[in-house]
Amino acid sequence: MRRPMTNHPESTAGHPISAARPDSTRQPGQPGHPHPTWIALRWLFLFRLVVLIGLILLFSPSALDPLITPANAALAWNVLIFYAIVVLLSGLNLYARWPSRGSQVHLAIYIDIIAFTFLMYAAGGAASGIGILIGVTVAAGALLMEGRLALLFASFAALAVLTEQIYSDLYGHVATASYTQAGLLGAIFFAVALLAHVLYRRVREAEAMAARRTVDIANLTKLNAFIIANLDTGILVVDGERHLRLKNKAALELLDVDAIKPGSSLVDFSPEVVEWLETQVQNPAPEGTVMRVGERELRATLKLLGDYRASGALIYLRDNQELTREAQQIKLAALGTLTASIAHNIRNPLSAITHASQLFADGKDLPEDDRHLLDIIRRNSARIDETVRSVLQLSRRDRMDPVSIDAALWIEEFAEEFRETHRLAPDRLTLEITFSPDPVEVDPRHLHQIVSNLCENALIHGGYGNEPPRIKIRLLPIGETADQPLIEIADEGPGIDAKTARDIFNPFFTTKTSGTGLGLYIARELAETNGIHLTYERADPHGSRFRLHFTR
């Protein structure tokens, strides 16, 4: 995976592995089935036809042995005419597929043994060499019937040869072979039958093993394609000419490509990857390097498939920002767990320090230097408390209690509360509600914290020139259907430059000397927990726009 599973891997997602069929369900001609296939019968028909043509040439007047009497020659031709008719009729039976396959094999073997025995008699007995055709017929019967009845065919052939020898000895007019030769010929028939039976069993076992290996390879291919198709890591396999041989969905998404045909040149849809690949071939980096493709930074790793360029290469692609974010989440999860366990040990002495500084500040005749030191104590105590509170919020971000709320009504209530809390005039925080959306499922506490963080950032950074910060909250529809709302928090400040905007949602990133740098990160984490997509846009000519896209 990655199942192959066709490299349309999705088609095998449900059942990547198929089990082998038991013997009881095998089709005719497969190992273990008692009847030959129609194809095998066609080969038997062709074999008999070739033998017939050879015998006609052997008994032709120009090639006939002078020792053969005219009576035996006439007998041979009568047998050949009969045999030709039978062979041609067997071809018609094969075309009509009647009688059954097993019956056709039985008739062909018995008729061939009888016909070849008569021809052997006409040619001078066992010494003529025609008896070898009987051995070939026995072997053919043993193979076609899958080893079954092999000894019966051999017994019938040996009996026919022995009968021919006795008849020649009693009524023949020429010197015939001895009984020893006939007996050896019969023994050869049995040996051929047994060897054919053993050979067939070996062939059948090899065929069955090959069939199992084929199923295993097909299943493994499907499984590999299935795994590759569902990997979050982008996979590209290219040959020595830098033509694409394999890709997965993640690679297409990372390269921002809709579809690529296998065999396409890599340079046609991603020249950046080709340039990076040639650089890595010359100076390989074992851990991979970062390259920019469009607006994305991708961490790519190269694995050569051989020592030569023609062997091709395997390229792994990962979103570098996603990797950074995963590492940060791991660190923050550990930090949140640690802070949650020792929060009371931090907050208890911190509360004591804060309380003591307040009592100390109430004293009379306190020198100005001491008051300055008390201010330092209070500010840093507040920073510690804010840091602990922020990290605790991270550890509790998955504890959500969604309810159905009216977004328009909720925004009005939030704006009134925020103005009162921060003592803002109505023109400092304005609303724009353009439609009445359907209720949304969200945790009100999380939504309040998200919007509060964004509005508080706007109060800090939203001033421009000598003008005080002004905040505008807009409720807009998403798309033409307007089935989901969008909340926009806008300010008229200087905005955020493009380089800084890429990092504003990273934890502990801040442009202030004070602060934890967790506000926007927590806002995004809480938004994603509630199925909300938080984005930033720079306004023109200045200002910032934070947007909450409700997706569920």
Side-chain angles (χ1 to χ4, degrees):
M1 16 98 62
R2 182 206 117 85
R3 123 260 86 62
M5 297 174 182
T6 58
N7 196 36
H8 185 52
E10 293 79 0
S11 64
T12 62
H15 303 281
I17 299 179
S18 58
R21 299 281 186 181
D23 290 345
S24 60
T25 61
R26 288 173 179 159
Q27 298 297 321
Q30 291 182 346
H33 199 276
H35 299 297
T37 63
W38 291 109
I39 295 178
L41 288 178
R42 292 191 189 101
W43 283 108
L44 177 62
F45 170 73
L46 291 176
F47 166 74
R48 297 176 75 197
L49 198 61
V50 171
V51 170
L52 173 62
I53 295 172
L55 290 174
I56 290 175
L57 294 176
L58 179 65
F59 284 94
S60 62
S62 59
L64 193 63
D65 192 338
L67 297 177
I68 297 178
T69 63
N72 286 347
L75 173 63
W77 276 101
N78 290 333
V79 171
L80 286 175
I81 293 172
F82 170 77
Y83 186 64
I85 294 173
V86 171
V87 169
L88 294 177
L89 287 176
S90 68
L92 296 176
N93 292 338
L94 182 62
Y95 177 78
R97 297 199 172 187
W98 181 88
S100 65
R101 295 184 296 273
S103 299
Q104 290 196 33
V105 172
H106 279 274
L107 288 173
I109 298 302
Y110 291 137
I111 290 174
D112 284 6
I113 291 174
I114 294 172
F116 295 158
T117 302
F118 274 102
L119 291 175
M120 184 178 66
Y121 169 76
S128 64
I130 294 181
I132 203 68
L133 292 177
I134 302 176
V136 174
T137 301
V138 171
L143 291 175
L144 287 173
M145 296 308 293
E146 303 187 358
R148 293 152 46 89
L149 305 178
L151 294 179
L152 177 61
F153 293 149
S155 300
F156 184 77
L159 182 62
V161 171
L162 184 60
T163 301
E164 183 275 334
Q165 178 63 36
I166 294 174
Y167 183 83
S168 297
D169 191 29
L170 294 177
Y171 301 103
H173 302 287
V174 296
T176 58
S178 65
Y179 287 97
T180 302
Q181 287 180 306
L184 289 175
L185 194 58
I188 290 174
F189 296 158
F190 281 99
V192 167
L194 291 174
L195 288 175
H197 178 66
V198 173
L199 176 62
Y200 173 76
R201 291 189 62 181
R202 295 287 180 86
V203 171
R204 184 176 65 178
E205 291 173 358
E207 184 183 15
M209 181 174 291
R212 289 195 298 270
R213 293 291 183 268
T214 301
V215 172
D216 292 341
I217 292 173
N219 288 339
L220 184 60
T221 302
K222 291 181 180 180
L223 181 60
N224 289 339
F226 176 78
I227 293 173
I228 291 173
N230 290 275
L231 283 176
D232 293 332
T233 302
I235 302 293
L236 292 177
V237 179
V238 295
D239 58 18
E241 299 301 323
R242 305 311 183 225
H243 291 159
L244 188 66
R245 295 303 176 195
L246 179 67
K247 87 285 184 187
N248 65 352
K249 184 178 179 181
L252 298 182
E253 292 178 351
L254 290 172
L255 297 175
D256 195 20
V257 179
D258 293 334
I260 307 173
K261 293 182 179 179
S264 301
S265 177
L266 190 60
V267 73
D268 292 340
F269 60 87
S270 184
E272 299 92 343
V273 176
V274 175
E275 181 180 356
W276 172 87
L277 177 59
E278 298 303 332
T279 303
Q280 288 297 301
V281 169
Q282 298 175 5
N283 300 298
E287 299 300 327
T289 56
V290 176
M291 64 176 170
R292 179 167 290 278
V293 178
E295 297 297 325
R296 281 183 170 173
E297 287 186 350
L298 302 182
R299 179 169 292 277
T301 304
L302 176 65
K303 298 293 183 182
L304 296 177
L305 301 180
D307 297 331
Y308 304 98
R309 176 188 173 95
S311 302
L314 173 63
I315 303 172
Y316 299 96
L317 300 175
R318 291 291 304 272
D319 190 332
N320 191 54
Q321 293 181 346
E322 186 66 25
L323 290 174
T324 304
R325 183 182 173 191
E326 288 178 2
Q328 290 170 344
Q329 287 180 333
I330 293 173
K331 293 179 182 178
L332 288 170
L335 181 60
T337 303
L338 176 63
T339 307
S341 63
I342 63 174
H344 65 282
N345 293 324
I346 296 176
R347 278 186 163 178
N348 288 342
L350 182 62
S351 298
I353 293 172
T354 304
H355 184 64
S357 64
Q358 291 174 350
L359 293 177
F360 191 53
D362 291 338
K364 297 179 180 180
D365 301 327
L366 193 65
E368 190 64 28
D369 292 341
D370 291 345
R371 289 189 180 278
H372 178 65
L373 294 175
L374 285 174
D375 289 338
I376 294 175
I377 293 173
R378 284 198 297 267
R379 286 198 305 271
N380 285 277
S381 298
R383 288 185 62 186
I384 295 173
D385 186 65
E386 181 184 358
T387 302
V388 172
R389 185 172 62 253
S390 297
V391 177
L392 285 175
Q393 288 172 349
L394 286 175
S395 65
R396 294 193 295 263
R397 66 185 182 274
D398 294 331
R399 302 174 190 173
M400 58 176 298
D401 184 18
V403 296
S404 180
I405 66 171
D406 185 333
L409 179 60
W410 185 90
I411 289 176
E412 292 176 353
E413 294 175 351
F414 170 83
E416 183 179 353
E417 177 189 347
F418 193 83
R419 290 193 197 101
E420 182 179 352
T421 303
H422 293 80
R423 299 179 180 179
L424 297 178
D427 63 332
R428 297 279 303 281
L429 177 60
T430 59
L431 299 179
E432 180 182 332
I433 300 175
T434 61
F435 80 119
S436 298
D438 295 333
V440 293
E441 293 286 332
V442 68
D443 189 326
R445 297 176 297 107
H446 288 175
L447 183 60
H448 189 280
Q449 185 174 349
I450 296 168
V451 180
S452 293
N453 283 348
L454 297 177
C455 290
E456 287 171 358
N457 274 346
L459 286 179
I460 298 172
H461 304 285
Y464 189 74
N466 296 324
E467 293 293 326
R470 300 182 187 277
I471 306 171
K472 188 173 186 178
I473 302 178
R474 305 171 66 197
L475 181 64
L476 306 172
I478 297 178
E480 297 179 356
T481 57
D483 55 346
Q484 294 292 339
L486 180 150
I487 298 178
E488 180 184 89
I489 294 91
D491 64 62
E492 299 177 358
I496 305 174
D497 61 87
K499 183 178 179 181
T500 304
R502 289 198 297 265
D503 299 322
I504 59 175
F505 292 110
N506 292 336
F508 304 112
F509 177 83
T510 179
T511 58
K512 300 183 299 181
T513 56
S514 60
T516 63
L518 290 172
L520 288 178
Y521 176 77
I522 293 174
R524 188 184 62 177
E525 290 295 306
L526 293 177
E528 291 183 355
T529 301
N530 287 268
I532 304 172
H533 187 49
L534 175 58
T535 61
Y536 169 79
E537 292 182 5
R538 181 183 173 90
D540 188 23
H542 57 83
S544 297
R545 305 285 185 267
F546 286 93
R547 291 184 170 182
L548 296 169
H549 303 256
F550 288 80
T551 59
R552 65 185 183 190

